[in-house]
Amino acid sequence: MRVTIRDVARACAVDVSTVSRALAGVRGISDETRSRVLEAAERLSYVPNRVARGLATGRSQSLGLLISDIRNPFFADVARGAEDAAFAAGFDLILGNADLESERQMRYIRSLVEKRVDGLVMNSVTALSKTEIAELVSYRVPVVLLVRPRSASAFSTVSADNFEGGRAAGTYLLGLGHRNVAHLTGSPRHANLWARGQGFRKAVQDGGSRVRCTVLRGDHTQQGGSELARRLFKSNPEVTAIFAGNDAMAYGVLRAAAECGRRIPETLSLIGFDNVDISAIVHPPLTTIHQPRYEMGKASVEILVRKIHEANPVTEHRVFGVQLVERASCRAL
Amino acid sequence: MRVTIRDVARACAVDVSTVSRALAGVRGISDETRSRVLEAAERLSYVPNRVARGLATGRSQSLGLLISDIRNPFFADVARGAEDAAFAAGFDLILGNADLESERQMRYIRSLVEKRVDGLVMNSVTALSKTEIAELVSYRVPVVLLVRPRSASAFSTVSADNFEGGRAAGTYLLGLGHRNVAHLTGSPRHANLWARGQGFRKAVQDGGSRVRCTVLRGDHTQQGGSELARRLFKSNPEVTAIFAGNDAMAYGVLRAAAECGRRIPETLSLIGFDNVDISAIVHPPLTTIHQPRYEMGKASVEILVRKIHEANPVTEHRVFGVQLVERASCRAL
DNA sequence: CTGAAAGCGCTAACAG
DNA sequence: CTGTTAGCGCTTTCAG
């Protein structure tokens, strides 16, 4: 049997409540008894039982992190930021990979609620139906989202300024003299990709009427990028610049370009979005839009923790600025 | 106040213990009362409290995953495998990034033990001192390690066959006709890297006396790979093939080679270890040794779960085969 | 098959 | 400042 608070109490002839107080480090206990208790606890190698504590206090000191896939480097960075913030605040982080599948996502949510997590940071709720979202809300657990849903909601959010990023990409390309540009992106239901596209479109519109802009949609993966690029090269061979919805797609473009004999950046400029680690390693080094992933993860649990501690929590929306990282995949016309 | 098992009991005029039995799905309860209880639970939107259950049963149904850094794609894959296996077995996974810092690692271990995790999968214990390991053992929590320590220990392990991988790299290079080869690696304290080097050395020895093999040690990072490569090009300019201890180092070599005007694979063959995702994207696509990361993560929690359920658990050592993935960074002499 | 009762280990008023 | 007294919500003997 494990040594409990009672054993410690017995060992120094005090009540368990006294031990509890000493261990909790509250004031209102004499220094002498405190150190006596602490010494005894140490000697008996007492290990507090947080689940018992959790039952008594109603707080588990753990948070849930529900993302689509930790293997996506974006989420790995976010997770690290989240984890560091949680660690600093004395919380543990329960990880869930939900693949944006609503059923899997709900199973996780229920499981986490049963474990009484004190809060939840989630990738997104876009895969959830209205009733599922209602269920989530009914659990009354503080939630921070990493994707700002277009509909208003009770959840706090942390996101990057995707719109501005898209616009920056557009003005950069136009500034380089490109007048026949393309945007390769994913499903319009993907809020982040959508905002990037909108920003890009805005830049193009502001660039005057002489610029041609073709938009192609497909899978927002390397594979998808390749396919779209090939289609683009056929339908609009005069295109001189591409804005890919994310870096993965940009790598696909890189591939397709190599196969189709289009040299980057000599005859085709390419800009991505994300600034994944390998962007600097790939050939040619990819010009892209950087979003502060680690900071976003960190901020999301900081907001969450604040929300947990506050009496009547406010829903907060924090958007992080993005930054164009100029490398070698774009060239002036 | 949340609805508890008592509310459900009251609602169908039975005792809480009956509700408990119905919910647990044990036999020895009439189908009629069971369905009545289940229906009431549903109607009241009862959400079981797993921390209370945990206190009563002594099991938390959660596991700890303690790795150095989730941003390392190797661990991201492992984590995903671990998470999938945990999910399938009804366990949650608490993530900890310990950076191989012993203090941080111990803080996590203590915190996880306080939370009464049912088991622990850890990257490695090599950063821990003898007393720290003793402390870990004293907690009597089932542990699976992802790095097989060279010393015997009470922990189960899951690892890749690093020795065989190193040997495969060596025989492959020799088979290509290379007779002046180099191995760039990290600290000899890093058990995996060490085994790879030993395997490589073995292949070289088996290759006869006419092959020259220089070994350089530094940081096992891209940066480190670059520096070692530059040093190598100075000290042994006739080298025709390099085996990098991991892919990150190989990328560093790629960089250094480009800067020093050595073309890969034309004048220099390069082989890595890990088969990180980008290996296929980088230029030239990297020939490397693949280890089944996802499967290793999966296996580690499967072993852990088995260990948890068994009465007198056996420590198990599972080693996964590796595979040479031939791409375009090596050429016959 | 079901109810009663006694905890699991800890916290939190409330007295003294 | 410390002890007493109730629980937190659930499981689990032990009777009936």
Side-chain angles (χ1 to χ4, degrees):
Chain A
M1 218 57 255
R2 277 217 137 89
V3 18
T4 77
I5 203 175
R6 304 182 61 138
D7 301 315
V8 179
R10 201 149 28 207
C12 28
V14 296
D15 189 81
V16 291
S17 59
T18 306
V19 176
S20 174
R21 280 188 278 257
L23 261 27
V26 295
R27 57 198 171 70
I29 182 175
S30 79
D31 285 350
E32 196 263 323
T33 32
R34 151 166 305 126
S35 57
R36 206 151 47 89
V37 168
L38 260 32
E39 182 271 325
E42 175 74 36
R43 184 161 41 78
L44 301 178
S45 2
Y46 166 71
V47 179
N49 182 331
R50 283 188 168 278
V51 358
R53 169 194 262 259
L55 182 58
T57 60
R59 329 195 121 301
S60 62
Q61 293 297 110
S62 40
L63 307 176
L65 176 64
L66 219 50
I67 57 180
S68 42
D69 192 349
I70 192 70
R71 290 173 296 190
N72 179 333
F74 176 86
F75 290 118
D77 280 0
V78 166
R80 181 49 135 120
E83 219 274 308
D84 283 353
F87 188 67
F91 285 81
D92 280 331
L93 211 56
I94 300 180
L95 175 69
N97 299 99
D99 289 329
L100 290 180
E101 288 167 21
S102 72
E103 197 195 346
R104 198 172 157 112
Q105 206 162 149
M106 290 309 295
R107 267 191 64 183
Y108 271 115
I109 290 174
R110 293 193 190 103
S111 165
L112 291 170
V113 169
E114 290 185 5
K115 287 239 169 99
R116 296 297 189 266
V117 291
D118 297 325
L120 207 48
V121 2
M122 294 179 60
N123 175 13
S124 150
V125 291
T126 49
L128 267 35
S129 69
K130 284 252 185 287
T131 25
E132 286 169 332
I133 292 183
E135 179 180 341
L136 171 54
V137 170
S138 80
Y139 291 140
R140 278 188 193 68
V141 54
V143 171
V144 174
L145 259 33
L146 284 167
V147 168
R148 181 163 198 162
R150 268 179 277 170
S151 59
S153 83
F155 309 123
S156 289
T157 62
V158 167
S159 57
D161 198 335
N162 290 285
F163 183 89
E164 261 311 305
R167 192 155 76 147
T171 52
Y172 178 71
L173 256 22
L174 296 197
L176 252 31
H178 295 280
R179 289 297 174 271
N180 184 343
V181 301
H183 177 40
L184 272 31
T185 185
S187 158
R189 298 200 47 207
H190 190 309
N192 285 346
L193 292 181
W194 174 260
R196 291 169 200 176
Q198 289 302 99
F200 188 70
R201 195 179 298 251
K202 175 86 167 89
V204 167
Q205 283 166 357
D206 292 354
S209 59
R210 281 208 297 284
V211 13
R212 173 173 172 193
C213 175
T214 95
V215 175
L216 262 47
R217 296 185 193 288
D219 268 3
H220 56 285
T221 60
Q222 196 190 326
Q223 183 78 31
S226 271
E227 284 164 15
L228 291 180
R230 267 189 288 267
R231 262 175 42 201
L232 176 68
F233 296 152
K234 288 219 180 80
S235 67
N236 177 8
E238 292 80 28
V239 67
T240 65
I242 295 179
F243 169 42
N246 62 35
D247 284 354
M249 297 187 80
Y251 301 136
V253 174
L254 237 39
R255 281 250 147 148
E259 290 167 18
C260 300
R262 307 213 42 158
R263 304 207 57 188
I264 296 176
E266 289 80 359
T267 75
L268 183 67
S269 286
L270 174 64
I271 182 167
F273 202 115
D274 273 349
N275 193 27
V276 169
D277 272 358
I278 51 169
S279 306
I281 297 173
V282 95
H283 186 81
L286 187 69
T287 292
T288 187
I289 308 289
H290 172 79
Q291 40 179 336
R293 303 176 288 268
Y294 177 91
E295 289 75 13
M296 288 166 65
K298 189 149 167 273
S300 62
V301 343
E302 284 169 352
I303 289 176
L304 195 54
V305 168
R306 213 175 303 143
K307 223 172 167 178
I308 291 166
H309 288 142
E310 271 171 13
N312 28 10
V314 192
T315 89
E316 198 171 328
H317 298 280
R318 177 119 177 248
V319 9
F320 277 83
V322 299
Q323 208 171 353
L324 195 152
V325 181
E326 208 168 355
R327 284 196 273 253
S329 63
C330 294
R331 177 170 292 187
L333 212 57
Chain B
M1 219 55 258
R2 275 216 138 90
V3 19
T4 77
I5 204 175
R6 305 183 60 136
D7 301 316
V8 179
R10 201 149 28 206
C12 27
V14 294
D15 190 79
V16 291
S17 58
T18 306
V19 177
S20 175
R21 281 187 277 255
L23 261 26
V26 294
R27 54 197 173 73
I29 181 175
S30 79
D31 285 349
E32 196 264 322
T33 32
R34 152 166 305 126
S35 57
R36 206 149 49 88
V37 167
L38 261 31
E39 183 271 324
E42 175 72 36
R43 184 161 42 78
L44 300 178
S45 5
Y46 166 72
V47 180
N49 183 332
R50 283 188 168 279
V51 358
R53 168 193 262 258
L55 181 57
T57 60
R59 327 193 122 301
S60 63
Q61 294 295 109
S62 40
L63 308 176
L65 175 64
L66 221 50
I67 56 180
S68 42
D69 193 348
I70 192 68
R71 289 173 296 190
N72 179 332
F74 176 86
F75 290 118
D77 280 359
V78 166
R80 182 45 137 121
E83 219 273 308
D84 283 353
F87 187 68
F91 285 80
D92 281 331
L93 210 57
I94 301 180
L95 175 70
N97 298 100
D99 289 331
L100 289 181
E101 288 166 24
S102 72
E103 198 195 344
R104 197 173 157 110
Q105 207 162 149
M106 289 309 294
R107 269 189 65 184
Y108 270 114
I109 290 174
R110 293 193 189 103
S111 165
L112 291 170
V113 170
E114 291 185 3
K115 286 238 170 104
R116 297 294 189 266
V117 291
D118 297 325
L120 208 47
V121 4
M122 294 179 61
N123 176 12
S124 151
V125 292
T126 48
L128 267 35
S129 69
K130 284 250 184 288
T131 25
E132 286 169 332
I133 291 183
E135 179 180 341
L136 171 55
V137 171
S138 80
Y139 291 141
R140 278 186 192 70
V141 54
V143 172
V144 175
L145 261 32
L146 284 168
V147 168
R148 181 163 198 163
R150 267 177 280 171
S151 59
S153 81
F155 310 123
S156 288
T157 62
V158 167
S159 57
D161 198 337
N162 290 284
F163 182 90
E164 261 312 305
R167 192 155 76 146
T171 52
Y172 178 70
L173 257 24
L174 296 197
L176 252 30
H178 295 279
R179 289 297 175 270
N180 184 342
V181 301
H183 177 40
L184 273 31
T185 185
S187 158
R189 299 199 46 206
H190 189 309
N192 284 345
L193 291 182
W194 175 259
R196 291 169 200 177
Q198 289 303 100
F200 188 70
R201 194 177 301 249
K202 176 84 168 86
V204 166
Q205 283 167 358
D206 291 353
S209 59
R210 283 208 296 284
V211 13
R212 171 171 175 194
C213 175
T214 95
V215 175
L216 262 48
R217 296 185 193 287
D219 269 1
H220 55 284
T221 60
Q222 196 190 328
Q223 183 79 30
S226 271
E227 283 164 14
L228 292 180
R230 267 188 288 268
R231 261 173 44 202
L232 176 68
F233 296 151
K234 288 222 180 77
S235 67
N236 177 7
E238 292 81 26
V239 66
T240 65
I242 296 179
F243 169 42
N246 62 35
D247 283 353
M249 297 186 79
Y251 300 136
V253 174
L254 237 38
R255 280 249 147 146
E259 289 166 20
C260 299
R262 305 213 43 157
R263 304 206 60 190
I264 297 177
E266 288 79 1
T267 75
L268 183 68
S269 286
L270 174 64
I271 182 168
F273 202 113
D274 273 349
N275 192 27
V276 168
D277 271 357
I278 51 169
S279 306
I281 297 174
V282 95
H283 186 81
L286 188 69
T287 292
T288 187
I289 308 288
H290 172 79
Q291 39 179 336
R293 304 177 288 268
Y294 177 90
E295 289 75 14
M296 288 167 65
K298 189 150 166 271
S300 61
V301 343
E302 284 168 353
I303 290 176
L304 195 53
V305 168
R306 213 175 303 143
K307 224 173 168 176
I308 291 167
H309 288 142
E310 271 169 13
N312 28 9
V314 192
T315 89
E316 197 171 330
H317 298 280
R318 176 116 179 250
V319 9
F320 277 84
V322 300
Q323 206 171 355
L324 195 152
V325 180
E326 207 168 357
R327 284 198 272 254
S329 63
C330 294
R331 177 171 293 189
L333 213 56

